[in-house]
Amino acid sequence: MLGKIFKRWSLICAGLAVVVLAVQRLVFWFLHPLYCSSDQSVYLQIGELILQGKVPYRDFYDFNPPLIMYLNVVPVTVAKLFHIPDTMGLSLTVEGILFAATAFVGWLMYRYTAYLPTVVFLPVLLAFVYFTGKLDTDMGQREHLFSLFYFPFFILRGIRHFGAKPGRLESIICGLLTGTLLSLKPHFFFLAMCAELGFLAESKNWKSLLAPEIRSTFVVPVLYVVLYFCLPKEAITIFWEQIFPVYQYGVGWAAKTFTHMISGFSYFIEPFSELTFALILAFFLRPLSPWVTPFVFVCLAAMLNYIQGAQAWTYRLLPMALFAELLLALELGIVANLVLNFLLKYWQGFRPLMATLLLGAVGYFSYGRVEHYYSEIGNQLAFDLSAIGYHGKNPRGDMDSTFFSMLENSNLGDKVVHIGTGINPGYPCQIQSCRPPGSRYLYFMTSMIVAAIQQKPELKEKFRSIEKTVIDNLGEDILKNQPVLVYIQDFPVFTELEDFHFSERFLRRYSLLGHVDATAIYKLTGSKYNFHAVPPAKRVEIILPVLMGEKTISEVSKTSRVPEMVLKDWVERGKKAMLNKLTDRSSDLEDELKTEINHLNDTIWAKNQEIGKLTEQVWKLEKQMEKGEGRQPEKK
Amino acid sequence: MTEEKKGAFNWPLASLKDPITLFLLLSSLPVFLFACRDLLEKNGDLPCFAALRLSCAQIMMEGQKPYLDFFEWSQPIVFEFCKIPYYLQTVFGGIVPLRIEVLSKIIILLSLLASMLASLYILIKARRHDAGNDVALVAPPLFASYLFFFFYERLQLGELQFFYFLAAVPFALLAWIGNTGVVLNKFLRLAIGLAAGFCACLDLPFPLGMGLVIAWSVVTGFKSGGLKVLWRPEYLGFILALLAVGGHYLLLPNDVRHAYEHWVLPIKNMSYVTFDDTISGPQSAPDNSIIYYVGGFALMMGMAASARLKVLVPLGLVGLSGFYFNLLERQGFSRDLVLAAGVSITLFITAGYYYANVFFQWLQKIWSGRLRHVPIVALALFSLSTSYALARRADIAYGMGINPHPKEKVLGALDINIAVERGSKWKEPVSILADTPDCAYPLLFDLERPPGGYLLNGRPARLLNHLQEIDGIVGDWREFYEHILANTRTDFENKRAALVFVHGAHMQVFLEKGDLLPTLGENYDRVQDAYFASDNLEPREFLGFYYAIAQYKKRADAR
């Protein structure tokens, strides 16, 4: 009786520990609803476009195969369903997947305890949950999604290899989902294949290769290939004739040397050190658990995948980092199991005691994390999401200056184009500010084309022709869609575009507004206009008759020679400013800071005046001395 | 003579009847002889640090103190080992006059031979015991691995990790055999333990690999004998070696020990945690990813096969420590991966051979052909062809070392080989100030140009620059910094070196901040720039950008 109570108590504590660890991270995402990295934000944008009926490659451009684009329809739908920003839709969807994966593995552990001893696998499950809890910029990346789906499949495959007979339905569902994620990148199959070899090395259970989950794993890739060829012919042509060659030869434009990839920063060297340490322990602990070998195989396969990628991108390292931590957790579990079995010989109460201690430790840790999330944003200014049509706030520090420039110079729903070497900062700013793309190119690839030419000079003509095509397409998109803002990176993109007389051909109706994040901002003004020619005080004078209803915009435009579009913008902003200032309120932090900035500016101005006066005095004194010196010889 | 003793006396002869031993001799011996000829015939191909340490040993024998009179951060015991060729030259020079390089190479070859013979002895003895079947699976690939290792690391022979590998293999075999009850010669076991112990002291992180082997031995032998395992002769030898190295250290002069503890250890540790920010884009560091590819597959295969071949466990542990050494160094030089490469090759071939045997045994069951010897014949053919291919690869690399012709060239600059040869005379000191000594050694050793400055290894310059930026230089760092500046200034003022080369931004900044450039300018004339012509491949590897090296020539004294 007491034994049963102990067991049940231990299970409750263990389950609670997993739940608490998983849920604590939600606090972070609720505090940062707009937090998103560049790659994921492009996929979200693509998800939006697909929901509008657009077709990949033909209507928008991206270097990835289409699966990830269609998968991102899910977070976008979630976002629309709950009326939250797309970025939050993604983080909540991924958290949801994590909960589901964790629950499934937890259920497998409960159901097949003989194959998945609780003490051995509880640290593994906690490590799995903890890993996603650490992620921020790589949250929702392809490798992350793959790991989330693959881990339950890996556990299912393990118990199958070692003799269990999991149910047909859950096996098929698990296989289908994993097959979907395996199709994201071809080398994910290599990882899964290595895992199977690892299991076979231990189990020699060749029959398990015909299990339902394996057969269903192949369904999605086959379906994917078939559906791929159902894309419009134009889309397939663009993929093979433009996208594929540029990616094949140009992907090295941001490549790093191998040493940098493994030890350049702490976020590279730490996973590699963890892997090394885990492998060392694995050689010691392999005889104690058949699970060690498959874990080792997955870790090493993931490492080979990362190295083969030849890029120092952290998300590519995620499967290796995750499985290295899971292997370490498994090893910890094996040792803990040994210790606990030894202790249980003396007193059965050690099990609930350990479980309670674990729950306490996880609870304490989670509390610390939540406190940290709040303290992190404590001193930061918050951005009110009402400006983009949502409720809530997000720390301003999460966003780039480009984001604020978009907010200031365009309205919700206005189209924007950002042309730079990388995806950032155009994305995530556009998805964060809810400014849809004004061109099929969500980001630009001239640097990749240059790298491709260097890599494959014999195909120079082909790449030049692609370059010309994409630049013409971009220009035509701008002419057709008339985005309110066009961002062009100062270097090297502006120079590269000017070789094709880009601004002369396509930006005649745009005026240079300023620069942000090393990028020039062009605003749609109808005709060329020099913004710096009219200072703010003069602008007030110009728009005042419109605000008072004495004149129309076109009348003022004629007299002041300011383009109508610019005037319209000034009027709208003027109205907003008045409303903003005439709202009843005391001061807020932002205002206080502005006051302080103004005060400091006044001080600087006063000091400069002082400097001016002193310089004048020095100058006068020098003149006097010169005169004095000039007279001296005369006296002699 | 008793039967037992007779047997022991006749074992080498009796072993010749064994097909495996015969295979080993037939395949290894010619390749080994070829290796000897190849190594002794070529000149100027010692690896960078081996040549540098030999140069250090030479000046130490002339009375200079390490770390105080010159800076190279090797362990004190390493310098002592590097004196051996000089002692041999002194003793046997009258009978057989040989250059230090040749003597060093003979030592390298003898070490290789000793390691192979020790392994052979252990395996033959083990074959007569219960582990016989496993030995038949381990011995042929192990010897093939020695040859592959030799040719793959042809240009790293003499590096510390090379000796480490040679000591680790028999040590790992002993750890494996030790628990099976095989009786082995105690003195040989002691000698292997001593060799492993000394190799574990050659660099700061080196105890890890051998320590893991001992730990595994203790864990696996714990049930049978508890901690008594540690009383085995090899482990006593290991401890004896550690004590000897400790004793040697205590006998060093106080000022040398002070410099080691307060300068060398902190700067070495700092080097492990400070990444060189010039390592970024492709080509800015050597690309040795191939070893990770081979290592990845080898560890998978080794892990799976270790269920049967337990010897793969200690070998795998040594290999993983090799990979860790590379992570710790954060440079990616071939010399940092010698151990990892050696063990990866061994695991890959041994596990591969094992699985080939399993496969052919299975095939034999379903197809009644005589397939038993297919794996061993295939291995022999593979050994010979791969050894040849690797020897060709080493030949090409050797040619690039002597007469470099890289894809990218620095216009208007001379290769440093030519610059040193033209600008200085035999026995005239030359100083090459660079972050790593790769552009200086083995060049200066081969041309017999003694060191002309304090910083033979210029790494402290980069690290102290970095420290100055983040924390400022205080305490021990300040003492070391001022020591470097004082020595370098004196060297410049006394025009100790005929030529001074300054390589890279780090060193330039260091001289600038230390106010040494004016002194250099007063005593030396800047002449044509040199460069370290290379595609960043062995034997000419570098870190950072492919920049020119400023060359300064000693100004003639006014008469």
Side-chain angles (χ1 to χ4, degrees), chain A residues 329-348:
Chain A
L330 178 80
E331 288 158 351
L332 177 73
I334 292 169
V335 175
N337 199 31
L338 282 178
V339 174
L340 192 67
N341 283 342
F342 174 76
L343 292 175
L344 287 178
K345 283 180 195 165
Y346 299 98
W347 183 46
Q348 286 294 315

Side-chain angles (χ1 to χ4, degrees), chain A residues 63-78:
Chain A
F63 283 102
N64 285 284
L67 183 60
I68 185 65
M69 307 181 194
Y70 284 96
L71 286 182
N72 268 270
V73 167
V74 178
V76 173
T77 310
V78 168

Side-chain angles (χ1 to χ4, degrees), chain A residues 171-336:
Chain A
S171 303
I172 290 173
I173 294 172
C174 193
L176 285 171
L177 289 172
T178 308
T180 310
L181 273 295
L182 279 173
S183 310
L184 279 175
K185 290 187 175 184
H187 43 265
F188 289 164
F189 283 97
F190 170 72
L191 191 145
M193 194 192 76
C194 287
E196 289 300 318
L197 288 174
F199 282 124
L200 282 174
E202 289 291 339
S203 70
K204 312 277 188 297
N205 183 359
W206 293 87
K207 277 185 186 168
S208 71
L209 292 180
L210 297 172
E213 67 271 13
I214 289 285
R215 280 180 279 163
S216 56
T217 302
F218 289 102
V219 172
V220 180
V222 172
L223 207 63
Y224 180 32
V225 173
V226 173
L227 288 174
Y228 173 80
F229 286 103
C230 291
L231 280 173
K233 197 183 167 192
E234 201 183 343
I236 296 176
T237 310
I238 291 173
F239 181 81
W240 288 108
E241 290 187 1
Q242 292 181 21
I243 293 171
F244 186 72
V246 172
Y247 185 80
Q248 189 185 7
Y249 298 111
V251 71
W253 75 277
K256 296 274 186 253
T257 188
F258 178 66
T259 304
H260 187 98
M261 279 176 65
I262 64 168
S263 58
F265 293 103
S266 59
Y267 43 78
F268 297 127
I269 204 162
E270 276 168 16
F272 270 93
S273 302
E274 279 173 2
L275 174 69
T276 312
F277 186 53
L279 291 175
I280 286 173
L281 289 179
F283 272 108
F284 282 91
L285 298 173
R286 197 202 60 81
L288 299 178
S289 169
W291 285 90
V292 173
T293 307
F295 267 102
V296 166
F297 270 57
V298 174
C299 286
L300 290 167
M303 180 196 80
L304 293 172
N305 273 350
Y306 172 69
I307 294 172
Q308 174 273 332
Q311 297 281 3
W313 291 333
T314 50
Y315 71 86
R316 291 255 177 108
L317 198 53
L318 291 181
M320 188 198 97
L322 169 66
F323 276 94
E325 285 186 8
L326 294 183
L327 178 56
L328 277 173
L330 178 80
E331 288 158 351
L332 177 73
I334 292 169
V335 175

Side-chain angles (χ1 to χ4, degrees), chain B residues 383-405:
Chain B
S383 299
L384 292 171
S385 55
T386 312
S387 296
Y388 176 74
L390 289 174
R392 283 285 304 145
R393 170 184 168 273
D395 266 354
I396 293 165
Y398 171 75
M400 282 295 271
I402 300 295
N403 178 24
H405 41 279

